[in-house]
Amino acid sequence: MGTTSMASRVFLLLLIFLSSTNLSLSLYEDQVGLMDWHQQYIGKVKGAVFHTQKSGRRRVVVSTEENVIASLDLRHGEIFWRHVLGSNDVIDGIDIALGKYVITLSSGGGILRAWNLPDGQMVWESFLEGSGASKSLLTVPTNLKVDKDNLILVFGKGSLHAISSIDGEVLWKKEIAPESVEVQQIIQPLGSDIIYVLGFFGSSQFDAYKINARNGELLKHNSATFSGGFSGEALVVSSEILVTLDSTRSKLVIISFQDGEINYQQTHISDIFGDSFGTPVLLPSKLPGVFSVKIDGAVVFIRVTGEGKLEVLDKINNVAAISDAISLSEGQQAFALIQHGDGKIHLTVKPSHDLSGDLLKESIDMDNQRGTVCKIFINNYIRTDRSHGFRALIVMEDHSLLLLQQGAIVWSREDGLASIVDVVTSELPVEKEGVSVAKVEQNLFEWLKGHILKLKGTLMLASAEDVAAIQEMRLKSFEKSKITRDHNGFRKLLIVLTRAGKLFALHTGYGQVVWSLLLPTLRRSETCEYPTGLNIYQWQVPHHHALDENPSVLVVGRCGKNSDAPGVLSIVDAYTGKEINSMAAIHSIAQVIPLPFTDSTEQRLHLLIDVNQQGHLYPRTSEAIDIFQHELTNIYWYSVEADNGIIKGHVLKSNCIQEVIDNYCFESKDIWSIVFPSDSERIIATVTRKLSEVVHTQAKAIADEDVMFKYISKNLLFVATVAPKGSGPIGTATPEESWLTVYLIDTVTGRILHRMTHHGSQGPVHAVFSENWVVYHYFNLRAHRYEMSVIEIYDQSRADNKDVWKLVLGKHNLTSPISSYSRPEVVTKSQSYFFTYSVKALAVTLTAKGITSKQVLIGTIGDQVLALDKRFLDPRRSVNPTTAEKEEGIIPLTDSLPIIPQSYVTHALKVEGLRGIVTVPAKLESTTLAFAYGVDLFFTQLAPSRTYDSLTDDFSYALLLITIVALIAAIFVTWILSEKKELREKWR
């Protein structure tokens, strides 16, 4: 007996040791990156300055259309530093001063900043004032000094400013805008203290201002009219000559302003190019003594001689982009041009003084999904043989950025992902079945081998070879990187549409691009001058009985800037990224309505509404029209005219009356309308529920064993309006002049179910609608703080179903049909709370069955995402909740919503330029997938109620294996000792 108890004690001690080992291995560590990923981008580059001095790192400083300033490593393309200025601070120019400061001009010439080149810290900032808006120009002369201080010249806000490059002090200012001159160029001749400010007055007068660079004194002002008028743009050819086109674009006009005296010389286009059929365009390239004109698909280089005569130097076809000239040595300059052909891009570097020669000629293979080259910036370096080498930074049509050197792509950046327009998700392919016995045995052997190696690593018995093998196995069997579905539904494809008209499929496991497609229908062409991508929709989602079909998505766009422009459609395979079908130059597209109907191939029916409120059915098949005709009377939709303050409800009536019969086109009629008085209300926000949201139950159990029934309707619309004076920025109206009114409207009948006014409040309003509640964010002018309010709506018509016996006997009305036309008996509950931050976006977590608690995801002004438990936004919160309410989970009422640092799902990271948050349910009920996008991208997995239905990722399987082995060993030892004891007792 003593031996048995001893064995038991040994076993218990072993278990305690293993438990303590588990505790020591279960210390919380920084788990950022295990279940999430973060990617940084900069956007489409519009300006670049190289810095390749021998001392320090070689870098290129860029400005982008996303208003980002960034310093990139020339070796790998990585970001050294960057600053995102925001949508209201547009970058107008960028340059480098004193070899150590990055100078940026932004906000329409209103803000000039200097950044430290090595680390990006801001050195100084100057706010430039002026009399009005104007074109913004930045010039950093290399040899213009005043009292040993290099000057920076800025034209903005209608004034010319001279700023110290050392401390940003405005040394002098000269107003020019009062004379209504549209300034085109600022010229400072080399080695001179004179500045020329050149521009147009009206459409037919040219003005030249001669200004003293030291004190801003106006030395001379000349003007001259030109009878033919000007087209608007002007290029600098030399320090005394400009070139422009006349108003008809049929003549080249040479403007000379030597010593301020203005002279015109004009040459007819036909005299230079012969009979051409295209419209000439001046290309904005800075070449000494030379300018370039694009006409009939070719670029012609023209030199202006000393007498103002024009000399054609060269004509080159298929030129995509031309760089500015750079200095090679004293008196020698060069520029680069890019041509396309044979699936390659051809880079040519030419000396500016002799266009017949080539300093460099290379051809580089290029992925055709990147499109054409938009811009090129070049830089030179000295090779070991003392000859000149060149590197080219090119911006592609898809907004990607590439560095070319020695005939190869050194690095590339997919910066088109900084301008995502819309996002949908798609399931990955199912893993193939039918594995052989040998494969199973091999997998079993690998599994055992892997766990043995992990066990050796846990017990610190692994050799260096074993550690290397463990690392290799982790890389090979990394579950997140598989391109197949997982049983928990964590691995999916995020299909995103960018502003460039390109589709990307991103793997949720690690954020890698699985495929990309530059949509042909969204590329600029003669028939589509301004292509614009609008949205993506699920087109075909095959289920288990049709898994041989690949899912596909519908991309909707338009060819033009206005809503009445013709639309374009493209259907793309979600697995391969190949375009299945496309339709261009169709009717206009004002609204897209995904219908809850599918055909036999599981293609979802879509109703596209044009600007005339006619409905067009897609797909255009006989089966689709049969399904649609059967459900025609049940289709309702609404439209919002925010500018006019009108919301209308519509239904379809009959086929369109046209010259050509179209069975897929339907006329509509208005069935209701709500007109908000323009003198008191303006619509600033509308939001509805997600059609894909799953609601687990309509009943909500509350305290004292009572039940409330949620009013669940996909036809509810939340509308927010403000007073006209409160529609501007915060602070432009007093509390008495502004009020915020919110509505809940049934979009089938137009009935207003709830209306509430917040006096002394204004927008902007951000809102999210889920189940039977809506949360919205706004600004309280009286309290000078932001607020968040919640409205919950309940169905009183089902209040009699609380009796259990009625449920048992089947005398309830839970299964009775619900119609929007039956007047609902609803009751609402609402509450408001102070919130610390301004908000950029709101979203709510979604799960597969809708059982898990909800979290509101808040995109803050600091470009982070905060997860706030919906219980904090419960309108039933009270200061002293009862015991029953506490058991229910009601939190005591406070005037402010808590900001818990651990609730930031982005951790310490930022999603710069945050624009949207998308949530997608996983197959695992406890988990939701969240994707935040802006200039950066961030993806993570969230478990609002913790992972109650799965083991955590840090669960120690090796320790479990050790425990099982120890348990078996202890049982075996105990059995042997017990057998020996019995044998001894029998011999007594």
Side-chain angles (χ1 to χ4, degrees), residues 362-668:
E362 295 175 343
S363 296
I364 301 102
D365 291 324
M366 185 60 62
D367 182 5
N368 58 5
Q369 294 303 326
R370 295 192 183 276
T372 58
V373 177
C374 295
K375 288 188 177 182
I376 176 173
F377 308 90
I378 65 166
N379 174 246
N380 71 298
Y381 60 94
I382 304 299
R383 296 193 181 106
T384 53
D385 61 356
R386 310 305 298 171
S387 62
H388 288 285
F390 297 91
R391 55 175 71 95
L393 188 72
I394 60 172
V395 184
M396 303 299 293
E397 184 182 353
D398 67 343
H399 298 184
S400 59
L401 186 66
L402 294 84
L403 184 71
L404 310 180
Q405 189 172 335
Q406 296 180 357
I409 299 174
V410 179
W411 51 259
S412 63
R413 293 180 52 87
E414 294 291 354
D415 284 303
L417 288 168
S419 57
I420 291 176
V421 175
D422 199 13
V423 184
V424 295
T425 59
S426 173
E427 295 289 346
L428 284 162
V430 179
E431 197 164 0
K432 294 182 179 179
E433 298 178 356
V435 184
S436 65
V437 176
K439 184 71 174 177
V440 171
E441 291 175 350
Q442 182 184 359
N443 289 343
L444 182 61
F445 174 74
E446 293 292 332
W447 182 84
L448 289 172
K449 179 183 175 183
H451 279 280
I452 292 171
L453 285 173
K454 288 180 182 179
L455 181 60
K456 290 173 71 176
T458 303
L459 298 176
M460 291 181 288
L461 300 175
S463 62
E465 292 80 7
D466 292 337
V467 172
I470 291 171
Q471 294 293 337
E472 185 179 357
M473 289 178 63
R474 283 178 178 172
L475 290 173
K476 285 184 178 179
S477 62
F478 197 41
E479 288 291 322
K480 292 203 303 182
S481 62
K482 288 186 177 179
I483 314 293
T484 55
R485 298 185 194 182
D486 61 311
H487 63 280
N488 289 328
F490 294 160
R491 294 197 298 265
K492 295 180 185 292
L493 286 179
L494 293 168
I495 302 177
V496 302
L497 174 65
T498 68
R499 195 179 300 132
K502 189 172 185 178
L503 279 180
F504 289 90
L506 306 177
H507 194 291
T508 58
Y510 51 105
Q512 184 176 340
V513 176
V514 178
W515 55 259
S516 61
L517 172 67
L518 186 61
L519 291 166
T521 53
L522 292 179
R523 296 186 67 179
R524 180 169 293 187
S525 62
E526 293 181 359
T527 57
C528 190
E529 189 174 355
Y530 296 104
T532 306
L534 299 178
N535 296 102
I536 322 176
Y537 300 90
Q538 298 282 4
W539 178 257
Q540 187 176 20
V541 185
H543 290 83
H544 295 291
H545 62 278
L547 285 177
D548 292 337
E549 296 284 342
N550 288 357
S552 54
V553 295
L554 171 67
V555 182
V556 179
R558 66 166 65 106
C559 282
K561 298 179 179 180
N562 301 322
S563 59
D564 58 352
V568 294
L569 303 178
S570 182
I571 300 171
V572 179
D573 190 308
Y575 286 171
T576 63
K578 294 181 179 178
E579 190 175 50
I580 301 171
N581 192 12
S582 65
M583 286 162 276
I586 60 171
H587 50 81
S588 60
I589 301 175
Q591 198 173 352
V592 179
I593 305 173
L595 301 174
F597 319 121
T598 58
D599 61 14
S600 58
T601 62
E602 301 206 44
Q603 289 185 124
R604 180 180 290 272
L605 274 61
H606 289 73
L607 186 66
L608 275 61
I609 311 299
D610 62 21
V611 293
N612 299 318
Q613 291 301 318
Q614 292 181 332
H616 303 264
L617 178 65
Y618 292 87
R620 299 170 73 87
T621 62
S622 57
E623 183 184 4
I625 196 67
D626 290 341
I627 297 171
F628 186 75
Q629 291 281 9
H630 186 262
E631 301 288 348
L632 186 66
T633 56
N634 294 324
I635 297 174
Y636 300 81
W637 79 93
Y638 69 93
S639 61
V640 179
E641 300 175 21
D643 295 336
N644 300 324
I646 301 174
I647 302 178
K648 296 180 180 179
H650 312 276
V651 293
L652 299 172
K653 10 179 233 191
S654 59
N655 286 102
C656 299
I657 302 174
Q658 298 175 340
E659 294 181 2
V660 179
I661 298 175
D662 185 356
N663 294 326
Y664 303 96
C665 177
F666 297 86
E667 299 283 353
S668 68

Side-chain angles (χ1 to χ4, degrees), residues 45-58:
V45 171
K46 62 181 182 181
V49 184
F50 289 89
H51 185 265
T52 56
Q53 295 180 357
K54 291 183 179 179
S55 60
R57 295 175 173 176
R58 291 184 173 89

